[in-house]
Amino acid sequence: EVKVLESGGGLVQPGGSMRLSCAASGFTFTDFYMYWIRQPAEKAPEWLGFIRNKVNGYTTEFNPSVQGRFTISRDNTQNMLYLQMNTLRAEDTATYYCARGRFGGGFLFDYWGQGVMVTVSS
Amino acid sequence: DVQMTQSPSNLAASPGESVSINCKASKSISNYLAWYQQKPGKANKLLIYSGSTLQSGTPSRFSGSGSGTDFTLTIRNLEPEDFGLYYCQQHHEFPLTFGSGTKLEIK
């Protein structure tokens, strides 16, 4: 069974940093693109970025809205995905989701985690 | 960025009825449009991609149509488990963007 499970959320002060983790299981992790998406309360989801699979060299792409502040990495030995968030702002407050890229590609998300809440506040 | 506008924002229907949800892109995205279902306490579910292709496991009562800028998700013969939030997403270009959502409620 495919599973992705986020962890590491919580309260952080403006200007601070936080790293989210995502544990993946039930599939060959290195074969898939992995994505981060966030959703502020009562608002639409926002795609943050992704990291490609082994065949495509594990390169990354980001939404310009977070480019330069957020980075994505993966530990393929542990089947873990990470989102490093720096210089956090109040508007980064949201539920953050890890998602697997759809098998077959297409910049789509076929398995999502339950999400983890990040609150940026003093 | 491609802006995605969904309508209506809220929709009420009874089990057994059919409903349609619309999604309009601010520029042509060919057929690169996906639909997701979101329900409290459950993982988001990819329903349809490339405008009309059902993701594996999506019931056949769901269908998608459209191309260019205008798209529609139709759900026929509503089941109780179909009630929830629906989002469209363009997968044509970066940044990937989502619609504002449609809340489908039981009448």
Side-chain angles (χ1 to χ4, degrees):
Chain A
E1 182 187 4
V2 173
K3 289 185 180 179
V4 290
L5 181 64
E6 307 89 345
S7 61
L11 177 65
V12 61
Q13 291 193 335
S17 297
M18 178 175 279
R19 188 178 83 156
L20 303 181
S21 302
C22 172
S25 61
F27 60 99
T28 304
F29 188 61
T30 54
D31 284 350
F32 288 85
Y33 287 31
M34 295 297 297
Y35 292 79
W36 286 100
I37 300 137
R38 69 183 178 187
Q39 186 171 20
E42 307 300 318
K43 293 190 175 182
E46 178 186 25
W47 166 72
L48 298 177
F50 66 83
I51 186 165
R52 292 179 173 87
N53 57 9
K54 181 179 181 180
V55 167
N56 290 287
Y58 302 128
T59 53
T60 56
E61 298 288 342
F62 291 94
N63 191 321
S65 66
V66 300
Q67 179 94 45
R69 293 195 301 128
F70 289 12
T71 58
I72 296 174
S73 60
R74 58 195 296 167
D75 180 342
N76 297 304
T77 64
Q78 300 289 325
N79 289 359
M80 293 292 295
L81 176 73
Y82 301 101
L83 177 68
Q84 177 68 43
M85 304 183 290
N86 298 327
T87 320
L88 284 161
R89 308 163 181 162
E91 54 265 36
D92 295 316
T93 295
T95 297
Y96 284 71
Y97 296 96
C98 157
R100 191 186 83 164
R102 179 190 155 266
F103 182 78
F107 306 115
L108 300 158
F109 328 113
D110 63 357
Y111 286 91
W112 296 60
Q114 295 284 344
V116 63
M117 185 69 195
V118 172
T119 302
V120 184
S121 175
S122 54
Chain B
D1 300 3
V2 181
Q3 306 301 316
M4 306 301 294
T5 303
Q6 270 183 253
S7 62
S9 53
N10 293 282
L11 188 55
S14 300
E17 292 184 338
S18 296
V19 296
S20 291
I21 299 170
N22 301 303
C23 184
K24 188 175 185 66
S26 59
K27 60 182 277 192
S28 176
I29 55 170
S30 184
N31 66 336
Y32 292 95
L33 193 283
W35 292 96
Y36 295 85
Q37 181 191 63
Q38 185 175 75
K39 301 183 73 169
K42 291 196 167 185
N44 294 345
K45 187 181 294 186
L46 171 63
L47 300 171
I48 287 170
Y49 62 93
S50 297
S52 60
T53 303
L54 265 61
Q55 170 70 355
S56 175
T58 300
S60 59
R61 62 181 180 274
F62 289 85
S63 64
S65 63
S67 66
T69 60
D70 293 287
F71 301 85
T72 300
L73 171 70
T74 300
I75 314 171
R76 292 184 169 78
N77 194 19
L78 278 166
E79 296 279 349
E81 62 265 28
D82 298 335
F83 295 92
L85 269 165
Y86 289 84
Y87 290 97
C88 60
Q89 175 232 332
Q90 63 84 13
H91 55 109
H92 180 261
E93 62 186 66
F94 301 145
L96 309 173
T97 48
F98 290 83
S100 51
T102 295
K103 188 173 185 180
L104 176 58
E105 297 178 298
I106 300 175
K107 187 185 290 183

